[in-house]
Amino acid sequence: MSADFTLTGGEHNAFHTGLAIPVFSLRTEQSSGVGQFSDLKKLADFAKKTQMDVIQLLPINDTTTFMDWRDSYPYRAISVFALHPIYLDIHNFQPYYTKLQKQRLAEAEAELNELEQLDYERVLALKWQYAKFIYRKCAVKVKDTAAYLEFYEKNKNWLEPYAVFSYLRDKYKTADFTKWKTYASYSSDYYKQLQENKDAAKKLDLLIFVQYLLHQQLTDAVYYCHSLGIALKGDIAIGIAHDSVDAWTNPNLFHLEMQTGAPPDAFSMTGQNWGFPTYNWAEMAKENYDWWKKRLLAMAEYFDAYRLDHILGFFRIWEIPAEAIRGLLGQFSPALALSPEEIEQNYGIPFREWGIERFTEPFIKDWVIDEIFGRDNRDTVIQNFLNYKGHGNYEFNTSYNSQKKIERAPLADWLKEGLYILHENVIFLKDHTNDHLYHPRITFTSTISFREFGEDYKKRLEKLYNDYFYGRNDLIWQEEAYKKLPILKEATAMVACGEDLGMVPENVPDVMYRLGILRLIIERMPSDNSFVNPLQYAPYLSVVTTSSHDTSPLRAWWEEDYFRTQRYYNEIMGWQGAAPKQATVEIVKEIIGRHLSSNAMMVILPLQDWLALDEQLRKENPQSEQINIPSEPFHYWRYRLHCTIESLLENEEWTDFLARFVSAHRK
């Protein structure tokens, strides 16, 4: 690569500036309704012209699970190796199309590119329609080339299982491989068996051929970026889809009966449930983390640096039972669970004397039902969802004794929400591997169950809670990180950056520093939740940014909470008087200027926030520029730039300003 990303000891080397944007959000004159790998060339031209040298992307792997818009979620890959077919540049094959095909493609592109947002389903259908024609026209010739043969031979260990998985997914119309009859359990013989069927063989061949085209187009874009001195930073998702090639072929490496997520944080008060299986680290360790090393080596073919999504998951993961919908019923794994003796002796809580179920089963009484659902709905809730246990207590009936059962039922949203709250109205959760050990439920102090205790017992429970979540497990989490992260980091020459947001144990920054892994610092989200400007203390080994794909863009954040904005305006920016209702260009200049002047190795801002520096380039509605809303389990990832990259390049007055602005502030 052209840019120098080498870290040597603790020395301060180069400083880097960049932009972050998902590939699907790009818009160029050659787009077919979505950004594609070839569009990265135009983006590299823009970065070069504006004195930037890093382009950061979201995950680019194939996510085809539901076969509809829900697959727009880029963090649920069906293969950690396969690239997403939606990024194939079909426009590039114009010479092979008939006059009618060219005409129809032009019409489709004009219509899809006119849309403000991505129409995932229509675009993907268009890509596959033309990919099949390209295959019929070019496959025989392309497959005879040395480049294709080399690609196939090098990658067949994942290409063949991926092709078989995709074929069977389409055949059975589900990615849930447990429903694939005789194919439910993976066998390496399936590829050869299916090759004997002429129709199946062609479909397998098409899938592999498209992967080759994607590889070629992305490699070509990478080479072009490097020729300009532009580095590419990829994104490695913490999880994989439960219904994925990786889970199908290596079920021993995952806890398929569990779900990954995150405890409550700034993104969601009820926690997050990502639905991914958790990793079986013990099994992975037996293979010296070979699956991870192969995954990273595949990434290194295209990227010079990577963002390790949710690096906290390598310390401990938030593990949620399969029957839960929200994140509040999760527990950290690994973690030192509490025995009944420890709960009783160390904290004076009559755990067994009062009955363990008082602490571990949903606390449901008439007045609890009234508070959640309203007095008028009490009888309806009891008759349809509960059984009476005696002594004024209720329990869920078997039809609704899990959140998944409630989620599947045809109930009104307000009713589902109330029933979820009832399920979560507990103090302790049983350990996932030992029914005789217990974990405090995250944020149990906000439950109605907790409120029912006397003040003395509330204090005892609060002490237990704080001891457990803030210190008890730090050492074992640190040990877990040191088992995994050094091996992963040394697997490639890519620069490792960790996304360390959320409920961060105190020793995480030290571990990352010692391993040379860059931290992520978002000014509006200080790790200690204080109102202190973290840019003042940003270490060199860090990436600072104004916002991310999971947060509102800078201008939208400014308008969310006027009291907070006023404090920020006076205390962080140091400007006097009343804060403007909107983030003016002058305000954005000040904020971005301070980021650029930080000591961080990398300053990488979302392209939306860079565009906010110009009154004409910013969108009228700043909220429309948000990419993801983490609190929505199924969010449609469809944001696209409202202008083409070519139009930005042609705006020389602005690109010249931006180049001077970056150069003036960056060391």
Side-chain angles (χ1 to χ4, degrees), residues 195-438:
Q195 284 284 341
E196 295 174 4
N197 180 295
K198 187 176 180 181
D199 181 63
K202 282 186 177 180
K203 291 178 179 177
L204 295 173
D205 205 38
L206 167 66
L207 288 157
I208 293 174
F209 177 75
V210 169
Q211 284 299 309
Y212 172 72
L213 295 183
L214 290 163
H215 167 74
Q216 288 291 95
Q217 291 182 359
L218 180 54
T219 300
D220 184 49
V222 170
Y223 181 83
Y224 184 81
C225 290
H226 286 178
S227 72
L228 298 181
I230 308 297
L232 287 176
K233 181 183 176 187
D235 195 326
I236 298 182
I238 184 61
I240 60 164
H242 186 280
D243 304 326
S244 65
V245 185
D246 301 280
W248 185 49
T249 57
N250 297 288
N252 61 307
L253 299 181
F254 308 93
H255 293 300
L256 297 175
E257 75 283 4
M258 292 295 172
Q259 304 177 93
T260 312
D265 56 19
F267 298 120
S268 174
M269 295 300 293
T270 58
Q272 297 177 54
N273 183 350
W274 303 325
F276 312 140
T278 57
Y279 293 114
N280 187 337
W281 290 112
E283 286 298 313
M284 288 187 164
K286 292 178 183 178
E287 301 176 4
N288 198 27
Y289 306 101
D290 185 61
W291 181 85
W292 271 100
K293 288 190 284 189
K294 288 178 179 176
R295 182 180 184 183
L296 287 160
L297 286 168
M299 289 278 292
E301 290 199 40
Y302 312 116
F303 298 107
D304 310 292
Y306 62 92
R307 170 190 179 273
L308 194 55
D309 176 43
H310 194 62
I311 195 173
L312 302 181
F314 294 86
F315 291 76
R316 79 293 187 273
I317 200 69
W318 191 245
E319 195 170 63
I320 305 167
E323 286 301 305
I325 293 294
R326 308 202 297 193
L328 289 173
L329 294 178
Q331 59 189 242
F332 283 125
S333 178
L336 297 171
L338 295 152
S339 67
E341 292 79 12
E342 187 176 3
I343 294 171
E344 293 164 353
Q345 295 171 15
N346 291 6
Y347 298 98
I349 298 167
F351 192 63
R352 288 173 291 191
E353 180 184 340
W354 288 0
I356 294 175
E357 65 276 4
R358 167 62 185 89
F359 298 90
T360 60
E361 297 296 324
F363 179 69
I364 310 174
K365 290 180 177 289
D366 287 332
W367 65 269
V368 174
I369 299 169
D370 292 350
E371 182 169 326
I372 294 175
F373 298 96
R375 174 66 183 85
D376 293 342
N377 296 306
R378 182 204 292 177
D379 291 343
T380 299
V381 171
I382 293 172
Q383 291 169 12
N384 289 282
F385 308 108
L386 305 175
N387 292 327
Y388 185 65
K389 290 170 49 177
H391 304 290
N393 297 305
Y394 298 89
E395 65 181 0
F396 278 96
N397 62 39
T398 55
S399 297
Y400 297 97
N401 60 0
S402 78
Q403 290 188 339
K404 275 282 175 70
K405 290 180 179 180
I406 292 167
E407 192 268 341
R408 289 190 288 262
L411 303 173
D413 288 344
W414 67 270
L415 194 52
K416 286 186 178 182
E417 172 72 15
L419 294 173
Y420 290 159
I421 293 172
L422 269 188
H423 266 288
E424 296 157 352
N425 193 27
V426 298
I427 303 299
F428 288 100
L429 303 167
K430 289 183 179 180
D431 182 77
H432 291 160
T433 60
N434 187 333
D435 283 347
H436 302 292
L437 297 176
Y438 304 89

Side-chain angles (χ1 to χ4, degrees), residues 29-33 90-91 94 97-114 126 130:
E29 293 172 359
Q30 306 299 313
S31 295
S32 300
I90 57 175
H91 191 95
Q94 291 276 353
Y97 300 152
T98 65
K99 183 177 181 181
L100 181 59
Q101 286 174 324
K102 290 178 181 178
Q103 177 185 338
R104 288 179 174 173
L105 178 59
E107 291 171 353
E109 288 179 336
E111 185 176 344
L112 291 168
N113 288 330
E114 187 68 24
L126 178 69
Y130 278 82

Side-chain angles (χ1 to χ4, degrees), residues 486-510:
I487 295 173
L488 272 57
K489 185 173 183 295
E490 296 303 317
T492 72
M494 292 186 292
V495 173
C497 310
E499 183 265 299
D500 54 333
L501 303 178
M503 194 173 177
V504 184
E506 287 187 0
N507 51 13
V508 168
D510 181 67

Side-chain angles (χ1 to χ4, degrees), residues 642-654:
H642 59 289
C643 57
T644 65
I645 303 299
E646 289 92 343
S647 68
L648 294 179
L649 286 166
E650 292 167 4
N651 191 341
E652 295 193 4
E653 181 179 352
W654 185 70

Side-chain angles (χ1 to χ4, degrees), residues 146 159 178 210 263 539-540 569 606 629 638 642:
L159 273 172
T178 64
V210 169
Y540 176 69
Y569 186 76
I629 301 176
R638 60 191 312 198
H642 59 289

